[in-house]
């Protein structure tokens, strides 16, 4: 049976220093101290994805108190289990856990530095679209990387101001100067 397990601080540290460290390059990893601070204040949730008692992946989300939707910050399956359907099978559980909808940043295939990277990015975008995500209507450049922003509608189907919600999350997660210097919105 598939299930989400909310992680405590000790589990987050182990996951960050182990699998997340291996799955995401340094420039894509949010500092652990920030993740823990956001987790303590209730604006960041970390889940282990389990099949019975076996841990198969993880998902980290940012969500402001009172905010409609959540931002999928990290999503990965254990290396030996990738391509086995777990990512798609867990997505409905994540959607149920975040009924206001989910935003996701996906590196833009159009700005890939090579054909191999373009194919890799397109595959990731196609995966999220198969999971029900659609264009949010805007993109961004974040720390020099161009992202397409995708949106999984919530249970009520209401969009609201997606860019405003995304912006509020980043204003919270990035100190003032980092936000000003490293986040630029682009047309969708």
């Amino acid at each position: 049976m598939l299930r989400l397990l909310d992680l405590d601080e000790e589990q987050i540290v182990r996951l960050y220093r182990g699998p997340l460290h291996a799955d995401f390059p340094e420039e894509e990893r949010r500092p652990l101290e920030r993740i823990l601070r956001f987790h303590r204040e209730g604006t960041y949730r970390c889940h282990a994805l389990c099949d019975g008692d076996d841990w198969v992946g993880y998902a980290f989300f940012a969500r402001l108190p009172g905010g409609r939707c959540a931002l999928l910050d990290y999503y990965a399956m254990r290396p030996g289990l990738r391509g086995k359907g777990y990512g798609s099978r867990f997505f409905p559980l994540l959607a149920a856990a975040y009924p206001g909808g989910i935003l996701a940043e996906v590196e833009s295939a159009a700005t890939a530095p090579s054909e191999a990277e373009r194919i890799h990015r397109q595959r990731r975008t196609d995966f999220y679209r198969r999971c029900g995500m659609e264009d949010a209507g805007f993109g961004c450049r974040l720390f020099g990387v161009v992202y397409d922003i995708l949106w999984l509608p919530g249970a009520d189907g209401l969009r609201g101001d997606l860019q405003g919600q995304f912006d509020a999350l980043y204003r919270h997660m990035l100190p003032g100067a980092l936000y000003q210097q490293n986040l630029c919105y682009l047309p969708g």
Side-chain angles (χ1 to χ4, degrees):
M1 176 175 81
L2 300 181
R3 63 188 175 91
L4 300 180
L5 174 68
D6 287 326
L7 300 177
D8 63 29
E9 198 166 295
E10 183 181 313
Q11 292 166 320
I12 293 168
V13 170
R14 276 198 318 264
L15 185 65
Y16 183 92
R17 290 184 176 153
L20 193 142
H21 199 269
D23 293 335
F24 293 91
E26 182 177 357
E27 61 272 10
E28 291 182 21
R29 290 193 305 265
R30 188 174 308 288
L32 177 59
E33 298 76 33
R34 260 195 229 137
I35 289 173
L36 294 175
R37 186 182 78 215
F38 298 150
H39 183 261
R40 284 184 209 117
E41 67 186 26
T43 59
Y44 207 86
R45 288 179 66 195
C46 304
H47 308 282
L49 310 174
C50 301
D51 187 355
D53 292 331
D54 297 327
W55 172 83
V56 298
Y58 57 91
F60 286 19
F61 285 89
R63 184 169 178 265
L64 294 177
R68 270 191 57 71
C69 60
L71 174 66
L72 178 58
D73 212 17
Y74 299 103
Y75 190 49
M77 299 303 121
R78 288 176 52 194
L81 299 175
R82 293 179 187 154
K84 305 224 184 282
Y86 279 109
S88 299
R89 290 172 47 211
F90 271 107
F91 223 77
L93 295 175
L94 298 172
Y98 297 94
I102 296 172
L103 289 164
E105 307 150 329
V106 183
E107 288 176 304
S108 175
T111 62
S114 69
E115 181 63 11
E117 181 63 17
R118 185 195 67 74
I119 290 168
H120 179 72
R121 291 178 182 188
Q122 189 60 54
R123 247 189 264 139
R124 187 175 297 132
T125 298
D126 293 344
F127 163 78
Y128 285 118
R129 289 188 188 285
R130 284 191 308 275
C131 290
M133 298 194 96
E134 55 193 51
D135 289 324
F138 67 98
C140 73
R141 178 175 284 113
L142 182 61
F143 291 98
V145 178
V146 175
Y147 291 95
D148 298 325
I149 308 302
L150 301 178
W151 156 248
L152 180 70
D156 61 11
L158 298 177
R159 280 182 78 86
D161 177 10
L162 296 179
Q163 186 172 332
Q165 293 173 68
F166 183 89
D167 192 66
L169 283 161
Y170 267 100
R171 284 183 183 276
H172 176 75
M173 292 190 296
L174 293 177
L178 272 179
Y179 170 88
Q180 294 296 331
Q181 295 165 3
N182 294 291
L183 179 61
C184 171
Y185 290 101
L186 306 168

